[in-house]
Amino acid sequence: MTVEPLTSDERTRFDEQVVYPWEDVSVPTSEKTFLKSGDGIYVRDSAGNRLIDGPGGMWCVNVGHGRTEMAQAIADQAMTLGYVSPWSFGMDHTLRLTHRLAAYSPGDLNHVFYTTCGSTAVDSALRFMFFYNNCRGLRDKKQIIARTDGYHGSTFLGATCSGKDSDKLHMDMAEGLVHHVSNPKPLNRPEGMSIDAFCDLLVTELEEKILEIGPENVGAFIAEPVLASGGVIVPPPGYHQRTFDVCRKHDVLYISDEVVTAFGRLGSMFASEDIYGIVPDMITTAKGLTSGYVPMGAVFISDRLFDALRNLSADPTYFSNGFTYSGHPVAVAAANKNLDIMEHEHLLEHVRTVGPHFQARLAELAELDVVREVRGEGLMAAVELSLDPQNPDEARDSEFALAVDRISQENGLIVRPVYNSCVMSPPLIITVAQIDQLTHILQAAIEQASAEVGFG
Ligand SMILES: Cc1ncc(COP(=O)(O)O)c(C=O)c1O
């Protein structure tokens, strides 16, 4: 589709009127690159430059840009019936999607509640926990435990669960409801401690936190399988199984926030069971569910919770939570087509094939003096930078990561700097040759940025 481009003057004036996510309101305009089209793993900016989409939009463009099948499915549904009220009506497409999703979801997580995005999925999962415990007569069992540096969205509840202090500076949170335990980042473990001992420490910390608050007051533990915007933190082996066991022991619901990891990012539809060996009580998803073509989220809830609720009372018991756009027909059509593409193109197998190459090529960057650590899983990775790895300084190193981002983009690659890490989650269709191209550009950018600050 051809859209008349704005003049640069119009762009500056109109841009001031947009309030962007995480907007710095002290400056009038952002310094954004404007994009105009996409194709496969590439996007094109307003000047016509072709760039590899390293972050895959924002961990979401799983099947790649410009898929005509996606566009056609969306258009067909919009033409046939563009809206259905989920309060009053059903649709066969929604049932088909739900049945497909439930077949992929771990264990008994066979109930699906549709939302509009990841934040509303997290919010709905937490509200379901409140509801579940209210129905059980456990009205005090509502406290939530989350992790430092986790990210769970921008609703009041999700933002309160998120664990970055810098995001809370000028914002209010739901006071007294959420408690944070440590980020399970192996690199930051106490000096001389083994990874296993670090895992012991984290598991003990969680259990002590539950005991300190009182198990009768703790409703849920929420955790991303791999912390995404916290910097692609892969926890120590056994962490998820052991924290899950602690939760079960104290009747605390385990909510796995798979907004990033579900739908193929790690080579499985869901990471919780296939990769980390747990069947949580609830899983929150969004992003890869529609590959970002239209907004949609979903919460998966276990039969166990539903059966418990059904056995409690024969009286009407409403889960009074829902959205005008829960199960929006156009989003349902996009999600069904997205699954078709994943299945027909064997994208899970593809990620399992190319993921190790992606990790291995990026791991080579650890040879560079300014690379503190390369970590990741599947098609999700972070290259953490430090100008002085023995004395990490987040502000200084974040500046450096911004320089790497700028140079990468000049050379045809978008990377997403998260503090001092370059974070990547390319479309799942990326090939081995494109992975080589991506790592080549990133390496050259790190070397050039190092030279600019007098390193190397
Ligand atoms: C793990 C996780 N949970 C929740 C969210 C919130 O999702 P959304 O931005 O779609 O509301 C995100 C967004 O990046 C996320 O990474």
Side-chain angles (χ1 to χ4, degrees):
M1 192 170 65
T2 320
V3 180
E4 194 61 29
L6 296 177
T7 64
S8 74
D9 174 55
E10 282 172 331
R11 192 170 286 149
T12 309
R13 282 190 294 117
F14 299 175
D15 189 49
E16 210 177 314
Q17 297 175 305
V18 181
V19 182
Y20 289 103
W22 263 251
E23 168 127 328
D24 175 358
V25 299
S26 68
V27 290
T29 50
S30 58
E31 280 176 23
K32 286 186 159 36
T33 300
F34 285 79
L35 301 181
K36 63 173 187 185
S37 63
D39 179 17
I41 70 154
Y42 300 97
V43 288
R44 228 172 249 286
D45 68 17
S46 52
N49 300 308
R50 195 167 84 140
L51 308 163
I52 298 177
D53 186 1
M58 207 170 157
W59 324 92
C60 58
V61 189
N62 288 7
V63 299
H65 294 279
R67 303 289 308 230
T68 43
E69 315 92 298
M70 290 294 289
Q72 195 61 56
I74 289 166
D76 286 349
Q77 185 58 50
M79 298 279 279
T80 310
L81 186 60
Y83 180 74
V84 171
S85 162
W87 266 259
S88 320
F89 301 104
M91 252 193 4
D92 280 354
H93 300 323
T94 317
L95 302 192
R96 189 166 292 121
L97 174 65
T98 309
H99 190 64
R100 289 176 87 178
L101 290 172
Y104 277 120
S105 65
D108 68 339
L109 277 87
N110 293 317
H111 296 261
V112 184
F113 178 82
Y114 293 106
T115 72
T116 53
C117 62
S119 302
T120 49
V122 166
D123 202 272
S124 296
L126 293 169
R127 294 196 76 204
F128 193 86
M129 176 273 283
F130 296 155
F131 168 73
Y132 172 71
N133 283 334
N134 285 340
C135 292
R136 296 198 299 158
L138 304 175
R139 292 199 157 262
D140 292 331
K141 202 167 168 56
K142 305 287 171 55
Q143 302 278 311
I144 301 158
I145 302 180
R147 282 105 44 95
T148 305
D149 295 325
Y151 182 71
H152 302 290
S154 267
T155 59
F156 198 43
L157 266 178
T160 305
C161 291
S162 295
K164 285 185 196 162
D165 288 343
S166 54
D167 291 343
K168 302 190 174 184
L169 269 183
H170 306 286
M171 306 297 283
D172 289 331
M173 299 293 139
E175 291 304 327
L177 187 63
V178 180
H179 310 260
H180 288 91
V181 290
S182 301
N183 172 347
K185 185 177 181 180
L187 183 66
N188 287 357
R189 68 189 184 277
E191 207 168 326
M193 183 179 273
S194 70
I195 301 263
D196 286 348
F198 181 53
C199 190
D200 293 344
L201 190 76
L202 295 165
V203 174
T204 305
E205 182 194 16
L206 175 65
E207 182 149 32
E208 283 176 353
K209 183 57 82 181
I210 293 173
L211 294 172
E212 177 194 317
I213 305 165
E216 68 285 7
N217 299 319
V218 184
F221 175 57
I222 182 163
E224 298 158 80
V226 173
L227 282 85
S229 43
V232 188
I233 309 300
V234 183
Y239 171 86
H240 286 298
Q241 277 165 323
R242 294 180 61 194
T243 50
F244 176 80
D245 290 345
V246 167
C247 289
R248 265 298 147 85
K249 181 172 157 195
H250 296 290
D251 188 24
V252 169
L253 299 187
Y254 194 108
I255 302 173
S256 187
D257 185 350
E258 292 221 38
V259 164
V260 169
T261 53
F263 307 112
R265 180 67 34 214
L266 305 186
S268 289
M269 278 295 183
F270 295 85
S272 295
E273 187 179 28
D274 286 358
I275 301 182
Y276 297 107
I278 61 165
V279 178
D281 296 293
M282 287 187 254
I283 295 182
T284 51
T285 65
K287 296 190 189 272
L289 174 57
T290 54
S291 282
Y293 277 76
V294 286
M296 186 182 220
V299 187
F300 292 75
I301 307 170
S302 68
D303 293 345
R304 184 176 83 92
L305 301 190
F306 261 85
D307 292 348
L309 288 170
R310 283 186 181 142
N311 290 333
L312 277 172
S313 164
D315 296 333
T317 312
Y318 291 101
F319 176 48
S320 310
N321 182 70
F323 309 99
T324 300
Y325 301 133
S326 289
H328 191 284
V330 173
V332 167
N336 266 319
K337 184 52 69 180
N338 190 59
L339 286 180
D340 290 347
I341 294 174
M342 291 192 69
E343 288 166 2
H344 293 157
E345 298 183 6
H346 306 288
L347 285 186
L348 299 179
E349 292 84 341
H350 178 73
V351 174
R352 291 199 285 268
T353 305
V354 300
H357 183 74
F358 179 65
Q359 299 296 338
R361 287 307 314 269
L362 288 172
E364 289 168 15
L365 303 183
E367 298 290 312
L368 302 174
D369 289 342
V370 293
V371 173
R372 185 162 180 244
E373 187 181 56
V374 180
R375 53 179 178 263
E377 183 91 55
L379 281 179
M380 187 177 177
V383 177
E384 185 169 324
L385 303 167
S386 180
L387 290 172
D388 183 359
Q390 300 312 316
N391 300 295
D393 171 336
E394 198 168 271
R396 176 200 64 202
D397 296 336
S398 300
E399 274 299 307
F400 180 62
L402 281 174
V404 172
D405 176 43
R406 173 181 49 80
I407 298 164
S408 297
Q409 198 164 314
E410 283 162 10
N411 295 319
L413 167 68
I414 301 174
V415 292
R416 178 171 175 225
V418 172
Y419 300 105
N420 57 333
S421 292
C422 298
V423 159
M424 271 153 300
S425 55
L428 308 184
I429 53 169
I430 194 166
T431 63
V432 164
Q434 290 167 335
I435 288 170
D436 291 343
Q437 188 188 8
L438 179 157
T439 42
H440 177 73
I441 298 175
L442 183 59
Q443 172 161 357
I446 296 172
E447 285 168 351
Q448 188 180 327
S450 306
E452 281 178 10
V453 292
F455 239 87

